[in-house]
Amino acid sequence: MNRQQNILVVEDEEAIRTGLIDVLVYHGYKVDFASNGPDGLKKAQSGKFDLILLDIMLPGMDGYAICNAVRDKDRYQPIIMLTAKTSDDEIIEGLKLGADDYVGKPFSVQQLMLRIEAVLRRSAAGQEQARTLVLGQVTVDTENLCGRNGLQEELSFTRREIDILSYLAANSSRPVSREELLSKVWGYGRNLDIETRTVDIHIAKLRRKIETDPREPSKLVTVRGAGYRLITGE
Ligand code: CA
């Protein structure tokens, strides 16, 4: 990873906070900090940190509440809880709220750095997985609008085509009607009769890209009278 990763330290004890910042900067991370709950929450919710190191006992608002609030907005935000509390119940509480890991104080620097690296690695893998659609032997990179078919040929997609695939993938347990696609992907309102052909044209183009035989679709299938369904997975 070439980009310098950005870590937020939320810790009210100055000695610990300063020590953490020094260690993180020394290891090549970019660091910002907050020394109380409300400031911590504000920064934690900004979405600009690759990882948040979050103390539990904080003035104004505790780390559990911050973790909870951040998770409500972004369930993928990596968080490691830092605390002097080490009883099992409290650890479970932290992990239940969605912290990725838990480090008890006092911690060894080496231990902490290993945990940080592990969480960042899992998070990068998770993000890559989240943006890759697998449709049999076809893979689609929804961020870079490209993919590969079963013959290892390169595919490219328009933003609209990716939006259609992503919406169908998110609802892959059921068929999605053309009206729903028009409303959710195109953002059109009512009186869609004339526009449903637009959907069919896009579906036909997508099938030429992802299907082995576009006339006999096995991935982007038509469910008679109900709409289209995407068959995801390997
Ligand atoms: Ca504290």
Side-chain angles (χ1 to χ4, degrees), residues 134-139 148-152 210 212 219 233-234:
V134 177
L135 308 165
Q137 289 182 303
V138 177
T139 53
R148 268 179 194 285
N149 64 16
L151 305 169
Q152 294 304 307
I210 64 172
T212 313
K219 300 176 178 73
E234 285 174 29

Side-chain angles (χ1 to χ4, degrees), residues 10-13 16 55-59 82-84 105:
V10 185
E11 167 66 74
D12 59 320
E13 281 167 71
I16 298 178
D55 185 28
I56 291 187
M57 301 301 283
L58 291 163
L82 295 174
T83 185
K105 287 188 269 190

